[in-house]
Amino acid sequence: MVDYVIMEWGSAALRWLHVIAAMAWIGSSFFFMHLDAGLRPHPEIPAGKGGAAWQVHGGGFYEMKKHLVAPASLPAELTWHKWQSYMTWLSGFFLLGWIYYAQSSLYLIDPAVRVLSPAAAAGIGIGSLLAGWIVYDLLCKSPLGRNETLLAVLGFGFVVAMSAFYAQVFSGRGALIHTGALMATVMSGNVFRIIIPNQKKVIAALLAGEAPDPALGKQAKQRSIHNNYLTLPVVFLMISNHYPLAHTGAVLPLLVALITFAGAVIRHFFNGWHADHSKAPWWCWIAAALAFGAAMALSWQAAPGRQSWLAAERQIAAANPAMTEQAIQIVQGRCSMCHASQPVWDGISAPPKGVKLAEEADILREAKAIGLHAVLTHAMPPNNITEITAEERATLALWLTRR
Ligand code: HEC
């Protein structure tokens, strides 16, 4: 029993930490991108070597100056921005392990996709994150990396290809969370392996009285821009587990492509907007809306229960009063072992997400949720662990359309 309490609160604590660290990281990243874009020439700073911006916050006025090269003598107090990133990655990694590797039969392994042992699933997950970073880093350092546009296209293709790979081995939600974790690993890797070490080298050169290698700053800037464009897509992927229509296996890589595009293009708008409101690229919103709409339509087209639901709608005329009875029996037979006040499923101590499906009144009240999670999509039962049949799902569809 104690292990249930530990699993539950452990997950809550890790997620709490992860969300807070990510807010701090993304918040500071947005702040500096905004500041950079808003800098204007300043008389004390030579042209092309930085700039200044004024901001007002919390009742005070801030005059912020940017020096592209470090000052001749370093200030006594120099704040580094790195722990937000490291903490986000570490807490995210442990949260991934806590939920997806420690409880993989519920969340990660879908035998209809691939039969894996928990150790193999975790090995593939962790190995792919490491391999993903290595491939990305080599790509950036290769001659191809000198062409920014080509690199962006290749990086985008790489992420989509990895999501296609994940969709071949993991459950839908497992595939999406790993695609997000891969992007996040690239982002934190950029901070840990490139941006911060390069800044340290620049400072060491200055302290030694030498001119720092300008390539170091250029490389750090390139990685920093990648991170900027990845922030919005990664956040969507991190919350995607709440949206079963987003984990539709057959079209999952296409959904990842559309959402990544939409997130990156919105970021692009804000980069332009902060630099100069009058030149903001408004087309970005249209492009993002089109991509998002396409993702919606695609997930609906590909939803595994779409055909049987449509068929049920066509049969609606032949009303059958026994329908509700049958639906309740199916839900009690396939869902209530977990979704009851006192679940009998090993490893589940309380109805997941507070959704109870044992009493008739509860089932009737949750009809919409049943439709979304067990009929239109096959998010529930998790990985079809209680073996609900296609006929039973079709019966639920009929019941839902007749209510
Ligand atoms: C083996 C246990 C188990 C069975 C059986 C099961 N579920 Fe679930 N259900 C879960 C878990 C675990 C979650 C929480 C998932 C998460 O954390 O995202 C959940 C979540 C849900 C949610 C809430 C989703 C959300 O994100 O708000 C609904 C609705 C749901 N289940 C419906 C069903 C239906 C309908 C069935 C039967 C067809 C079913 N479940 C069978 C374990 C189960």
Side-chain angles (χ1 to χ4, degrees):
M1 188 174 71
V2 177
D3 50 334
Y4 293 157
V5 180
I6 293 174
M7 278 322 269
E8 179 83 352
W9 281 96
S11 156
L14 280 170
R15 182 166 280 147
W16 195 18
L17 175 62
H18 184 55
V19 170
I20 291 168
M23 275 163 37
W25 182 18
I26 296 186
S28 68
S29 146
F30 280 0
F31 175 77
F32 281 105
M33 286 304 290
H34 174 255
L35 185 60
D36 254 352
L39 290 174
R40 300 291 176 260
H42 188 276
E44 282 169 22
I45 303 170
K49 299 272 188 241
W54 280 89
Q55 297 199 3
V56 57
H57 185 77
F61 292 86
Y62 295 77
E63 182 190 17
M64 277 162 293
K65 291 187 203 144
K66 173 172 180 176
H67 300 265
L68 220 53
V69 278
S73 64
L74 278 183
E77 293 281 343
L78 186 60
T79 304
W80 291 79
H81 288 267
K82 57 181 182 182
W83 278 103
Q84 303 97 313
S85 166
Y86 302 165
M87 276 317 289
T88 305
W89 191 86
L90 285 172
S91 56
F93 182 73
F94 283 105
L95 186 58
L96 185 71
W98 199 272
I99 295 176
Y100 285 87
Y101 303 151
Q103 306 171 67
S104 50
S105 68
L106 271 184
Y107 296 113
L108 186 59
I109 302 168
D110 182 350
V113 176
R114 192 164 298 260
V115 180
L116 289 172
S117 69
I124 294 174
I126 297 173
S128 71
L129 297 183
L130 189 64
W133 160 257
I134 294 173
V135 171
Y136 162 81
D137 191 44
L138 287 175
L139 207 59
C140 292
K141 288 176 174 159
S142 77
L144 297 172
R146 272 181 232 128
N147 182 335
E148 296 292 340
T149 318
L150 179 65
L151 184 61
V153 172
L154 288 174
F156 179 78
F158 177 58
V159 165
V160 176
M162 285 301 287
S163 75
F165 163 71
Y166 288 134
Q168 295 295 314
V169 289
F170 292 151
S171 66
R173 58 182 289 173
L176 285 181
I177 208 80
H178 275 85
T179 309
L182 178 77
M183 290 185 187
T185 301
V186 160
M187 292 168 71
S188 275
N190 279 337
V191 177
F192 182 58
R193 302 281 302 151
I194 306 290
I195 299 173
I196 295 289
N198 284 14
Q199 277 171 352
K200 292 226 154 107
K201 282 182 210 154
V202 167
I203 289 180
L206 284 168
L207 291 178
E210 296 158 8
D213 180 359
L216 293 169
K218 225 176 124 194
Q219 189 189 33
K221 188 70 203 164
Q222 179 189 55
R223 303 298 180 99
S224 170
I225 290 172
H226 292 174
N227 281 8
N228 179 249
Y229 280 98
L230 284 173
T231 39
L232 298 191
V234 97
V235 171
F236 183 91
L237 291 169
M238 292 304 166
I239 60 173
S240 64
N241 57 350
H242 300 291
Y243 302 100
L245 273 171
H247 358 126
T248 307
V251 292
L252 190 140
L254 280 172
L255 297 178
V256 167
L258 289 164
I259 296 292
T260 302
F261 173 77
V265 97
I266 292 175
R267 205 52 224 138
H268 187 67
F269 168 81
F270 280 104
N271 291 341
W273 170 257
H274 295 322
D276 183 349
H277 286 8
S278 68
K279 295 203 191 95
W282 287 100
W283 59 265
C284 290
W285 286 106
I286 301 171
L290 287 175
F292 204 81
M296 276 170 72
L298 200 62
S299 74
W300 181 63
Q301 279 298 317
R306 181 171 169 271
Q307 286 307 337
S308 66
W309 195 314
L310 288 174
E313 279 177 357
R314 284 193 291 272
Q315 290 174 36
I316 201 158
N320 172 357
M323 215 70 243
T324 304
E325 197 88 338
Q326 282 184 42
I328 288 168
Q329 271 173 15
I330 293 169
V331 173
Q332 283 171 340
R334 304 294 185 185
C335 319
S336 65
M337 48 287 268
C338 300
H339 290 282
S341 323
Q342 313 257 299
V344 293
W345 195 269
D346 199 24
I348 303 228
S349 58
K353 293 271 156 91
V355 176
K356 285 190 230 155
L357 298 171
E359 307 294 332
E360 177 170 340
D362 292 330
I363 295 173
L364 298 180
R365 196 183 52 243
E366 296 285 1
K368 275 227 165 67
I370 296 171
L372 180 61
H373 291 266
V375 182
L376 186 56
T377 71
H378 292 177
M380 287 289 142
N383 304 324
N384 201 9
I385 208 158
T386 53
E387 299 178 342
I388 189 170
T389 65
E391 293 76 48
E392 286 172 331
R393 293 199 207 261
T395 307
L396 289 176
L398 262 177
W399 163 63
L400 288 167
T401 44
R402 284 196 191 151
R403 292 173 69 244

mmCIF file of all heavy atoms in Angstrom, residues 25 85 89 133 136 183-195 197 223 227:
data_model
loop_
_atom_site.group_PDB
_atom_site.id
_atom_site.type_symbol
_atom_site.label_atom_id
_atom_site.label_comp_id
_atom_site.label_asym_id
_atom_site.label_seq_id
_atom_site.Cartn_x
_atom_site.Cartn_y
_atom_site.Cartn_z
ATOM 1 N N TRP A 25 13.190 28.321 -16.930
ATOM 2 C CA TRP A 25 14.079 28.237 -18.104
ATOM 3 C C TRP A 25 13.463 28.949 -19.305
ATOM 4 O O TRP A 25 14.057 29.844 -19.903
ATOM 5 C CB TRP A 25 14.359 26.761 -18.428
ATOM 6 C CG TRP A 25 15.305 26.592 -19.593
ATOM 7 C CD1 TRP A 25 16.154 27.518 -20.111
ATOM 8 C CD2 TRP A 25 15.490 25.393 -20.351
ATOM 9 N NE1 TRP A 25 16.862 26.968 -21.157
ATOM 10 C CE2 TRP A 25 16.480 25.668 -21.330
ATOM 11 C CE3 TRP A 25 14.924 24.113 -20.305
ATOM 12 C CZ2 TRP A 25 16.904 24.718 -22.248
ATOM 13 C CZ3 TRP A 25 15.364 23.173 -21.216
ATOM 14 C CH2 TRP A 25 16.336 23.475 -22.173
ATOM 15 N N SER A 85 17.972 25.230 -16.989
ATOM 16 C CA SER A 85 17.978 24.233 -18.052
ATOM 17 C C SER A 85 18.325 22.854 -17.502
ATOM 18 O O SER A 85 17.648 21.864 -17.780
ATOM 19 C CB SER A 85 18.993 24.656 -19.114
ATOM 20 O OG SER A 85 19.258 23.575 -19.967
ATOM 21 N N TRP A 89 15.862 19.457 -17.377
ATOM 22 C CA TRP A 89 16.182 18.174 -18.009
ATOM 23 C C TRP A 89 16.209 17.052 -16.971
ATOM 24 O O TRP A 89 15.610 15.992 -17.170
ATOM 25 C CB TRP A 89 17.527 18.233 -18.753
ATOM 26 C CG TRP A 89 17.703 17.030 -19.601
ATOM 27 C CD1 TRP A 89 17.255 16.862 -20.882
ATOM 28 C CD2 TRP A 89 18.307 15.782 -19.225
ATOM 29 N NE1 TRP A 89 17.549 15.595 -21.323
ATOM 30 C CE2 TRP A 89 18.193 14.902 -20.329
ATOM 31 C CE3 TRP A 89 18.920 15.317 -18.069
ATOM 32 C CZ2 TRP A 89 18.674 13.594 -20.311
ATOM 33 C CZ3 TRP A 89 19.407 14.015 -18.047
ATOM 34 C CH2 TRP A 89 19.283 13.167 -19.160
ATOM 35 N N TRP A 133 20.902 13.130 -29.527
ATOM 36 C CA TRP A 133 21.779 14.275 -29.276
ATOM 37 C C TRP A 133 23.040 14.174 -30.129
ATOM 38 O O TRP A 133 23.467 15.143 -30.751
ATOM 39 C CB TRP A 133 22.145 14.377 -27.790
ATOM 40 C CG TRP A 133 23.376 15.200 -27.588
ATOM 41 C CD1 TRP A 133 24.633 14.758 -27.320
ATOM 42 C CD2 TRP A 133 23.477 16.631 -27.726
ATOM 43 N NE1 TRP A 133 25.517 15.809 -27.270
ATOM 44 C CE2 TRP A 133 24.836 16.969 -27.513
ATOM 45 C CE3 TRP A 133 22.566 17.639 -28.016
ATOM 46 C CZ2 TRP A 133 25.290 18.284 -27.578
ATOM 47 C CZ3 TRP A 133 23.026 18.953 -28.084
ATOM 48 C CH2 TRP A 133 24.366 19.273 -27.868
ATOM 49 N N TYR A 136 22.271 14.996 -33.799
ATOM 50 C CA TYR A 136 22.013 16.429 -33.964
ATOM 51 C C TYR A 136 23.313 17.236 -33.878
ATOM 52 O O TYR A 136 23.583 18.118 -34.695
ATOM 53 C CB TYR A 136 21.013 16.895 -32.895
ATOM 54 C CG TYR A 136 21.004 18.384 -32.679
ATOM 55 C CD1 TYR A 136 20.298 19.237 -33.532
ATOM 56 C CD2 TYR A 136 21.713 18.953 -31.622
ATOM 57 C CE1 TYR A 136 20.308 20.606 -33.333
ATOM 58 C CE2 TYR A 136 21.733 20.315 -31.415
ATOM 59 C CZ TYR A 136 21.038 21.147 -32.272
ATOM 60 O OH TYR A 136 21.054 22.498 -32.078
ATOM 61 N N MET A 183 13.612 16.475 -28.183
ATOM 62 C CA MET A 183 13.823 17.914 -28.425
ATOM 63 C C MET A 183 14.414 18.570 -27.184
ATOM 64 O O MET A 183 15.331 19.396 -27.263
ATOM 65 C CB MET A 183 12.492 18.597 -28.740
ATOM 66 C CG MET A 183 11.894 18.248 -30.074
ATOM 67 S SD MET A 183 10.415 19.293 -30.269
ATOM 68 C CE MET A 183 9.744 18.622 -31.761
ATOM 69 N N ALA A 184 13.880 18.205 -26.009
ATOM 70 C CA ALA A 184 14.343 18.821 -24.770
ATOM 71 C C ALA A 184 15.787 18.444 -24.484
ATOM 72 O O ALA A 184 16.552 19.254 -23.952
ATOM 73 C CB ALA A 184 13.438 18.399 -23.613
ATOM 74 N N THR A 185 16.178 17.226 -24.863
ATOM 75 C CA THR A 185 17.561 16.800 -24.655
ATOM 76 C C THR A 185 18.498 17.609 -25.555
ATOM 77 O O THR A 185 19.580 18.031 -25.139
ATOM 78 C CB THR A 185 17.697 15.287 -24.954
ATOM 79 O OG1 THR A 185 16.812 14.595 -24.076
ATOM 80 C CG2 THR A 185 19.106 14.797 -24.733
ATOM 81 N N VAL A 186 18.058 17.844 -26.781
ATOM 82 C CA VAL A 186 18.840 18.686 -27.689
ATOM 83 C C VAL A 186 19.007 20.080 -27.082
ATOM 84 O O VAL A 186 20.101 20.644 -27.052
ATOM 85 C CB VAL A 186 18.144 18.755 -29.072
ATOM 86 C CG1 VAL A 186 18.607 19.955 -29.859
ATOM 87 C CG2 VAL A 186 18.389 17.461 -29.845
ATOM 88 N N MET A 187 17.896 20.613 -26.538
ATOM 89 C CA MET A 187 17.954 21.970 -25.980
ATOM 90 C C MET A 187 18.903 22.048 -24.783
ATOM 91 O O MET A 187 19.743 22.945 -24.689
ATOM 92 C CB MET A 187 16.557 22.440 -25.582
ATOM 93 C CG MET A 187 15.639 22.652 -26.782
ATOM 94 S SD MET A 187 13.917 22.862 -26.271
ATOM 95 C CE MET A 187 13.992 24.485 -25.525
ATOM 96 N N SER A 188 18.742 21.113 -23.841
ATOM 97 C CA SER A 188 19.615 21.137 -22.665
ATOM 98 C C SER A 188 21.043 20.800 -23.048
ATOM 99 O O SER A 188 21.992 21.367 -22.496
ATOM 100 C CB SER A 188 19.130 20.138 -21.615
ATOM 101 O OG SER A 188 18.154 20.729 -20.818
ATOM 102 N N GLY A 189 21.200 19.882 -24.008
ATOM 103 C CA GLY A 189 22.538 19.538 -24.488
ATOM 104 C C GLY A 189 23.212 20.771 -25.067
ATOM 105 O O GLY A 189 24.411 20.992 -24.854
ATOM 106 N N ASN A 190 22.466 21.583 -25.787
ATOM 107 C CA ASN A 190 23.036 22.809 -26.339
ATOM 108 C C ASN A 190 23.578 23.719 -25.241
ATOM 109 O O ASN A 190 24.642 24.317 -25.377
ATOM 110 C CB ASN A 190 21.981 23.561 -27.162
ATOM 111 C CG ASN A 190 21.829 22.983 -28.551
ATOM 112 O OD1 ASN A 190 22.754 22.335 -29.063
ATOM 113 N ND2 ASN A 190 20.686 23.201 -29.186
ATOM 114 N N VAL A 191 22.817 23.824 -24.151
ATOM 115 C CA VAL A 191 23.272 24.677 -23.047
ATOM 116 C C VAL A 191 24.497 24.053 -22.381
ATOM 117 O O VAL A 191 25.514 24.709 -22.164
ATOM 118 C CB VAL A 191 22.140 24.862 -22.006
ATOM 119 C CG1 VAL A 191 22.633 25.678 -20.814
ATOM 120 C CG2 VAL A 191 20.933 25.548 -22.647
ATOM 121 N N PHE A 192 24.408 22.750 -22.098
ATOM 122 C CA PHE A 192 25.417 22.071 -21.290
ATOM 123 C C PHE A 192 26.725 21.842 -22.057
ATOM 124 O O PHE A 192 27.812 21.987 -21.502
ATOM 125 C CB PHE A 192 24.827 20.734 -20.837
ATOM 126 C CG PHE A 192 25.724 19.921 -19.955
ATOM 127 C CD1 PHE A 192 26.187 20.441 -18.750
ATOM 128 C CD2 PHE A 192 26.089 18.634 -20.308
ATOM 129 C CE1 PHE A 192 27.004 19.691 -17.924
ATOM 130 C CE2 PHE A 192 26.920 17.878 -19.486
ATOM 131 C CZ PHE A 192 27.374 18.404 -18.297
ATOM 132 N N ARG A 193 26.613 21.484 -23.326
ATOM 133 C CA ARG A 193 27.802 21.085 -24.074
ATOM 134 C C ARG A 193 28.367 22.202 -24.950
ATOM 135 O O ARG A 193 29.519 22.142 -25.345
ATOM 136 C CB ARG A 193 27.498 19.870 -24.966
ATOM 137 C CG ARG A 193 26.989 18.668 -24.216
ATOM 138 C CD ARG A 193 28.106 17.908 -23.554
ATOM 139 N NE ARG A 193 29.091 17.490 -24.529
ATOM 140 C CZ ARG A 193 30.377 17.321 -24.269
ATOM 141 N NH1 ARG A 193 30.828 17.578 -23.074
ATOM 142 N NH2 ARG A 193 31.202 16.911 -25.205
ATOM 143 N N ILE A 194 27.549 23.180 -25.326
ATOM 144 C CA ILE A 194 28.039 24.207 -26.273
ATOM 145 C C ILE A 194 27.993 25.615 -25.669
ATOM 146 O O ILE A 194 29.020 26.275 -25.531
ATOM 147 C CB ILE A 194 27.205 24.190 -27.579
ATOM 148 C CG1 ILE A 194 27.178 22.791 -28.200
ATOM 149 C CG2 ILE A 194 27.715 25.241 -28.568
ATOM 150 C CD1 ILE A 194 28.480 22.309 -28.795
ATOM 151 N N ILE A 195 26.790 26.064 -25.300
ATOM 152 C CA ILE A 195 26.636 27.484 -24.966
ATOM 153 C C ILE A 195 27.480 27.872 -23.742
ATOM 154 O O ILE A 195 28.298 28.792 -23.804
ATOM 155 C CB ILE A 195 25.139 27.825 -24.774
ATOM 156 C CG1 ILE A 195 24.380 27.545 -26.086
ATOM 157 C CG2 ILE A 195 24.959 29.273 -24.335
ATOM 158 C CD1 ILE A 195 22.880 27.664 -26.009
ATOM 159 N N PRO A 197 29.987 26.048 -22.091
ATOM 160 C CA PRO A 197 31.431 25.852 -22.276
ATOM 161 C C PRO A 197 32.056 26.928 -23.180
ATOM 162 O O PRO A 197 33.154 27.410 -22.891
ATOM 163 C CB PRO A 197 31.537 24.473 -22.937
ATOM 164 C CG PRO A 197 30.295 23.767 -22.544
ATOM 165 C CD PRO A 197 29.235 24.821 -22.413
ATOM 166 N N ARG A 223 23.058 27.623 -31.690
ATOM 167 C CA ARG A 223 22.343 26.661 -30.840
ATOM 168 C C ARG A 223 21.232 27.352 -30.058
ATOM 169 O O ARG A 223 20.174 26.786 -29.801
ATOM 170 C CB ARG A 223 23.319 25.984 -29.866
ATOM 171 C CG ARG A 223 24.477 25.275 -30.550
ATOM 172 C CD ARG A 223 23.992 24.155 -31.444
ATOM 173 N NE ARG A 223 25.105 23.469 -32.109
ATOM 174 C CZ ARG A 223 25.636 22.314 -31.684
ATOM 175 N NH1 ARG A 223 25.152 21.713 -30.625
ATOM 176 N NH2 ARG A 223 26.628 21.762 -32.337
ATOM 177 N N ASN A 227 17.230 26.455 -29.920
ATOM 178 C CA ASN A 227 16.462 26.289 -28.681
ATOM 179 C C ASN A 227 15.212 27.158 -28.696
ATOM 180 O O ASN A 227 14.140 26.749 -28.282
ATOM 181 C CB ASN A 227 17.324 26.661 -27.478
ATOM 182 C CG ASN A 227 18.285 25.543 -27.118
ATOM 183 O OD1 ASN A 227 18.401 24.571 -27.850
ATOM 184 N ND2 ASN A 227 18.952 25.668 -25.990
#
